[in-house]
Amino acid sequence: MESLQFFATSWLSPDLMLLTALGTFLGIYVGAIPGLSVTMAVSILISFTFAWDINNALCLMVGIYMGGVYGGSRTAILLNIPGAPAAIATALDGYPLAKKGMAGQAIGLSTVMSVVGGFVGIFVLAVAAPLVSDFALAFQPRDYMMLGILGIMLVGSLSGESLAKGMFAGALGMLIGTVGLDPLTAEERFTFGHVELWEGIHPVAVMIGLFGLAESLEQLHHLDKAIIKQKVSRIVPSWKDVKRFLPLSLQTSSIGVIIGALPGTGGEIAALMAYDHAKRVSKKPEVPFGQGAKEGLIAAESSNNAAVGGAFIPMLTLGIPGDAVTAVFIGALFIHGLNPGPLLLETKPDMFWFMVGTLTMANIFLLIFGLTGIKIFSKLIQCPKGILIPVIFVLSIVGAYSINNSVADIWWMLGFGVLGYFMKLYGYQVGPVILGVILSRLIDENWRRAIIAEREDLGAFFAGIFASPLSLILLSAIMLILLSKVSFIKEWVGRIARS
Amino acid sequence: MHETQSKAPGELFFSLILLLVSCVLFWQAYQIDEFSSLKSPGAFPMAAAAVMFVTSSITFYNTAVKHFRVDGLAKKRISIMPLPVVIILATLLAFAVVVESVGFLITAYVFLFITIKFLYQSGFLKTAALSLAVLAVIYVVFRLVFQVVLPEGIVPEREIIAWFESLFK
Amino acid sequence: MINKIKSTLAILSIAASPVFADYPEKDIQGIIQWGAGGSTDTVMRSIAPHVEDELGTDIVMINRTGGVGAIATKYVYAQKADGYTLLMGAENPQMYKVLGLGEIDYGDMVPISILARGTPIFVAQNDAPYNNMREFVEYVQQNPGEVRTGMTGNGGLTSIVLAMLDSQVKLDLTRVPYNGDGPALTALQSGTIDVMSTVLGAAIDHVRAGRMKVIGLMDNSENALVPGVEPITEDFPGLSNYLPWGPFFGVFVKQGTPEEAVIKLQDAFRKAATNEDFVNIMTNRGYTMMNLSGDEASSFLDKYKSVSSWLVYDAGYAKHSPADFDIPRPESN
């Protein structure tokens, strides 16, 4: 009963309600603009809300987080520039929908599914937080590595017409991900002696270049082409549609919660893995994946919002951040005089339920703000290309610069923009590159950690996998997908079945 | 998706470059730690570069074969570098070169003016006004709301802001 | 040409401004060496509002990560020495020279304030068969290679603490690398590693919650936050040369900054660092308040540099000898 009272704290105070609403609203725009990240916005808020009551500050921050994760989908759908890495998977099918004049519908559907995902995340946080965080702690380096491999197999589905080109792109991405001082040994990799390269190439710079800039450059070929008329009559998805896609979105949301709760992975990996899952389980999408399949959009959007609730699980139960944003939340709680450690749940149960309550409220505001104003947003891309394209260029530059306040990131963004332009021209997909960049460190670091922990004994490494049910499940999943994907094995199995 | 079935000019050249880049990167990866051990920091980059090398070789071979087969399709050629792309790329490069010394405000304004004038072909005054409006929105959002300190260059922005604030004190 | 325009504009704006007050007359930029949510970031963001009150101006905080803090250090060094760009950092630059990471360290800066320092401790899994450093050392000697410890990169806290221990007794530990003590402490709870040396503040709550145990305190006196844990000098008196030692947080400006600005900044930070809220936050996190400036700060920085550089060099993973940079060996007291 007490928890209910804590849960309702933010619901009973008009001030807190207003702040949550404001946060969610702002968050949508923070998320939508590439280069402005939720992490950044929340850390600015720390100084800004320093003298405030902690509840007020948290309402604003939670709103920004919730809205921000969702907001990335807006620009991903409308302009093919994911507002944040978590929205990369959204762009894969969302942008093709906008090209067909269905931007309004795509945003409507992604809003509803984000909210569904958000609720799944919050629900798991509320009822099973200690359980899930124990589960998340059970993940060993080898399990993270296999999770990364599971993710990289998505290259197979993102390759388009040529698997060789897709694999090239994926491997290139992995290599880009290793640039910089190796975080484990501080060995320089591909830095060519430049200190500026020590930190590596930021995935967001690669992302803005490959998606936003390359796309805009390509658009210059079609300046004379008429602007696509956006249908904005049916924005709210029909109940029938929601019902039809609900099972899928519940599945992908569960993926989102788990990946979000793992301390080493966040929303961007969740969305990509959920996308892969959707592609595997949707036997008959209305349109193929990559050309505007609603299933792909749903998977990406429900899972990355579910990851929000997931990321709070280890943070609120153990004081271990589930992702970069929750790390800043921990800092904020410290500054406000709380100790967000494993004792928080015992000493301040009100904080836990207050967070759950505020997240719930932010999620509801998300539905409201997400479904209003879509018309204006979709009209935005109907603005003449001669104005829109220059604006995208400036936004890309500012976005790249603001990642780290560095001109070097502008150069990377431009470089990858030009590379992406030629890749697209010659039939390479850019998706696998960014996939590789995101998963590179996860695989590289954890592989080495796993093998070092076993003192470089491969036998012990495999023995470890076979001794742990979790590792075995992951290994079987990888094997199954491999078997189902490799066509010659498929043929072979088919031949055996026939004979 | 039949566009790519025909040979785009430069495709063979592009795949050759990718192949060469893969070789260079493999060499670089090898240099990190040679073939010392499974846990070496060079192991993973080397594996990635090896995949790049194999796949780019396949692509190069395929493209070369296609190159000879579809040489008659010259008419279907698409221009890979139409004039707008060249001009825009040049202005983008110029932007990146001067932004730090000249400052964001001036560079971005000039960039917007040139590109909007060129792509939208509106009148002089309209272009100037449009660019100003766009820049104002971007500046307010990034610099004032989210405190991203864009390169100031020759514009003493902080002094101006301080002066502006002092007017209201 | 550009400079001419720049100075003309600057003169214009100054002429136009009705009041030409003394320093500070505009916003100050605080360049943070580490990313949002890290401990340096948190500490700096919690003191900044108090400093703003003292100075009556805004401090715009900017995270410039990269090169273990070298990017931010280089950036501040490249700015004008006018007191409008502060470097907000941790201990790392003091090791740049011997590790070959950069040319500039805090010796090229004026310390505004050394805010606080941390105390290194050893934590272990609850069911580990050792409860103090003596038992730990014996166990490792009997089971070489069996015990896994987390590492956070050469020159990082764990590497220096292990080098200190190494200077007294050789231990065969399996060293599993992590990107920071946060992930390593998580791995300790997952059972991936058995032991971790970390700063007290990072582990204290996990210890209080009974999720891990403290087996050693790298200091020459007991600490109130971990009562009953013997200081390491009880078992290894040889370490008293090096201790007390710990990572620290400090604020710096470029050398050559006008005296007036330096004094104003030092005063502001000194007052801000005594603010009750800030002190509470810091002590709760297990940091020891220092609040040093001027000569005291410089001698603290020198001692840190000398101890850490020679330890790292003797342990064999420095690129250059500290002697190349005239860094003296720590004197035995």
Side-chain angles (χ1 to χ4, degrees), chain A residues 39-40 43-47 50 134 136-141 144 181 183-186 188 195-199 263 317-321 324 327-328 330-332 334-337 339-343 346 401 403-407 441 445-446 448-450 452-455, chain C residues 36-38 41-43 45-50 52 61-68 70-71 74-75 100-102 144-146 148 152-154 172-179 182 185-187 189-193 201 205-211 277 281 284-285 319:
Chain A
T39 324
M40 201 167 110
S43 21
I44 291 170
L45 279 181
I46 288 186
S47 325
F50 187 77
D134 281 346
L137 271 188
F139 273 69
Q140 298 294 323
Y144 278 108
L181 281 193
L184 304 189
T185 61
E188 292 186 35
V195 184
E196 286 68 24
L197 275 173
W198 280 1
E199 197 73 348
T317 52
L318 301 174
I320 295 169
V328 181
I330 289 184
F334 264 121
I335 290 176
H336 281 277
N339 266 351
L343 289 172
E346 266 172 55
Y401 180 83
I403 300 166
N404 214 353
N405 298 298
S406 139
V407 179
R441 288 205 167 172
E445 285 174 18
N446 284 300
R448 281 153 61 203
R449 223 168 259 151
I452 290 172
E454 302 294 354
R455 301 213 124 201
Chain C
D41 181 70
T42 314
V43 169
R45 282 183 198 274
S46 37
I47 193 164
H50 303 306
E52 285 177 344
M61 313 282 267
I62 303 163
N63 300 90
R64 264 188 195 254
T65 57
V68 278
I71 300 281
K74 260 176 89 170
Y75 173 81
L101 294 180
E146 286 274 290
R148 298 183 185 123
T152 56
N154 289 349
D172 181 12
L173 294 160
T174 299
R175 301 175 177 203
V176 186
Y178 285 89
N179 305 347
L185 287 172
T186 307
Q189 295 175 58
S190 306
T192 316
I193 56 174
D205 265 349
H206 298 293
V207 174
R208 283 186 189 136
R211 301 190 63 88
D277 290 342
I281 291 169
N284 261 335
R285 266 197 117 167
K319 278 201 176 137

Side-chain angles (χ1 to χ4, degrees), chain B residues 94-124:
Chain B
F95 193 133
V97 171
V98 300
V99 69
E100 200 145 47
S101 49
V102 178
F104 174 77
L105 281 178
I106 295 175
T107 327
Y109 186 75
V110 172
F111 175 84
L112 280 170
F113 185 87
I114 294 174
T115 46
I116 292 179
K117 179 88 187 126
F118 172 67
L119 294 175
Y120 189 53
Q121 293 174 344
S122 48
F124 190 85

Side-chain angles (χ1 to χ4, degrees), chain A residues 160-243:
Chain A
E161 60 194 75
S162 156
L163 185 64
K165 288 177 178 178
M167 281 174 71
F168 176 84
L172 175 69
M174 302 261 247
L175 203 109
I176 294 165
T178 65
V179 171
L181 281 193
D182 167 26
L184 304 189
T185 61
E187 195 89 34
E188 292 186 35
R189 302 197 284 193
F190 307 107
T191 56
F192 306 97
H194 290 285
V195 184
E196 286 68 24
L197 275 173
W198 280 1
E199 197 73 348
I201 303 171
H202 202 283
V204 173
V206 181
M207 182 186 87
I208 299 177
L210 285 179
F211 282 80
L213 194 70
E215 175 68 26
S216 311
L217 286 174
E218 204 191 4
Q219 292 273 331
L220 292 174
H221 283 268
H222 319 293
L223 275 178
D224 43 349
K225 221 175 176 178
I227 296 156
I228 305 144
K229 193 101 183 71
Q230 294 292 342
K231 292 181 281 265
V232 284
S233 48
R234 285 199 56 98
I235 284 168
V236 183
S238 68
W239 178 236
K240 213 182 92 214
D241 260 10
V242 175
K243 227 166 69 185

Side-chain angles (χ1 to χ4, degrees), chain C residues 116-175:
Chain C
R117 102 180 144 80
T119 305
I121 55 168
F122 275 90
V123 285
Q125 280 187 33
N126 279 331
D127 51 4
Y130 31 80
N131 290 308
N132 55 45
M133 287 312 277
R134 215 175 7 252
E135 290 172 19
F136 170 67
V137 168
E138 275 165 25
Y139 184 84
V140 177
Q141 282 169 337
Q142 280 156 19
N143 307 278
E146 286 274 290
V147 178
R148 298 183 185 123
T149 182
M151 283 288 280
T152 56
N154 289 349
L157 176 125
T158 34
S159 74
I160 295 174
V161 169
L162 287 178
M164 278 189 198
L165 203 57
D166 225 39
S167 70
Q168 308 297 312
V169 52
K170 297 283 171 225
L171 294 177
D172 181 12
L173 294 160
T174 299
R175 301 175 177 203

Side-chain angles (χ1 to χ4, degrees), chain A residues 105-456:
Chain A
Q105 239 186 320
I107 296 180
L109 189 63
S110 72
T111 309
V112 172
M113 290 307 171
S114 290
V115 172
V116 170
F119 276 129
V120 172
I122 297 165
F123 178 75
V124 176
L125 171 68
V127 302
L131 217 65
V132 176
S133 58
D134 281 346
F135 175 67
L137 271 188
F139 273 69
Q140 298 294 323
R142 56 170 181 267
D143 303 318
Y144 278 108
M145 180 195 88
M146 287 196 277
L147 211 56
I149 295 176
L150 217 49
I152 206 69
M153 293 174 114
L154 184 56
V155 166
S157 356
L158 293 182
S159 291
E161 60 194 75
S162 156
L163 185 64
K165 288 177 178 178
M167 281 174 71
F168 176 84
L172 175 69
M174 302 261 247
L175 203 109
I176 294 165
T178 65
V179 171
L181 281 193
D182 167 26
L184 304 189
T185 61
E187 195 89 34
E188 292 186 35
R189 302 197 284 193
F190 307 107
T191 56
F192 306 97
H194 290 285
V195 184
E196 286 68 24
L197 275 173
W198 280 1
E199 197 73 348
I201 303 171
H202 202 283
V204 173
V206 181
M207 182 186 87
I208 299 177
L210 285 179
F211 282 80
L213 194 70
E215 175 68 26
S216 311
L217 286 174
E218 204 191 4
Q219 292 273 331
L220 292 174
H221 283 268
H222 319 293
L223 275 178
D224 43 349
K225 221 175 176 178
I227 296 156
I228 305 144
K229 193 101 183 71
Q230 294 292 342
K231 292 181 281 265
V232 284
S233 48
R234 285 199 56 98
I235 284 168
V236 183
S238 68
W239 178 236
K240 213 182 92 214
D241 260 10
V242 175
K243 227 166 69 185
R244 182 155 62 100
F245 292 126
L246 199 62
L248 176 70
S249 89
L250 289 180
Q251 289 167 28
T252 50
S253 301
S254 320
I255 295 179
V257 184
I258 302 285
I259 307 271
L262 291 177
T265 51
E268 70 278 23
I269 294 179
L272 288 164
M273 300 203 64
Y275 183 86
D276 196 30
H277 173 80
K279 196 163 177 184
R280 248 177 294 114
V281 297
S282 319
K283 292 288 176 248
K284 282 201 182 84
E286 283 166 27
V287 251
F289 276 80
Q291 294 171 33
K294 285 180 181 162
E295 287 85 351
L297 188 69
I298 290 163
E301 276 309 296
S302 55
S303 62
N304 67 19
N305 275 66
V308 173
F312 273 109
I313 291 175
M315 179 212 144
L316 288 173
T317 52
L318 301 174
I320 295 169
D323 65 358
V325 183
T326 38
V328 181
F329 266 92
I330 289 184
L333 290 181
F334 264 121
I335 290 176
H336 281 277
L338 283 175
N339 266 351
L343 289 172
L344 188 72
L345 212 48
E346 266 172 55
T347 54
K348 294 208 70 131
D350 52 323
M351 187 43 67
F352 180 83
W353 289 106
F354 171 75
M355 287 296 239
V356 174
T358 313
L359 278 165
T360 313
M361 188 157 70
N363 209 27
I364 291 170
F365 279 123
L366 190 62
L367 188 66
I368 299 169
F369 294 136
L371 289 179
T372 47
I374 294 182
K375 279 186 188 166
I376 309 164
F377 252 101
S378 341
K379 284 267 163 24
L380 196 77
I381 47 168
Q382 289 191 36
C383 124
K385 277 184 187 165
I387 300 173
L388 188 62
I389 293 179
V391 173
I392 294 177
F393 284 140
V394 175
L395 273 181
S396 301
I397 289 181
V398 178
Y401 180 83
S402 43
I403 300 166
N404 214 353
N405 298 298
S406 139
V407 179
D409 285 322
I410 298 183
W411 285 108
W412 285 117
M413 188 274 296
L414 288 179
F416 282 103
V418 173
L419 178 73
Y421 169 76
F422 282 109
M423 286 177 74
K424 283 179 168 202
L425 212 57
Y426 297 131
Y428 291 80
Q429 299 293 316
V430 293
V433 181
I434 193 74
L435 182 76
V437 174
I438 288 175
L439 294 171
S440 174
R441 288 205 167 172
L442 189 69
I443 301 176
D444 177 31
E445 285 174 18
N446 284 300
W447 152 249
R448 281 153 61 203
R449 223 168 259 151
I451 198 81
I452 290 172
E454 302 294 354
R455 301 213 124 201
E456 293 185 60

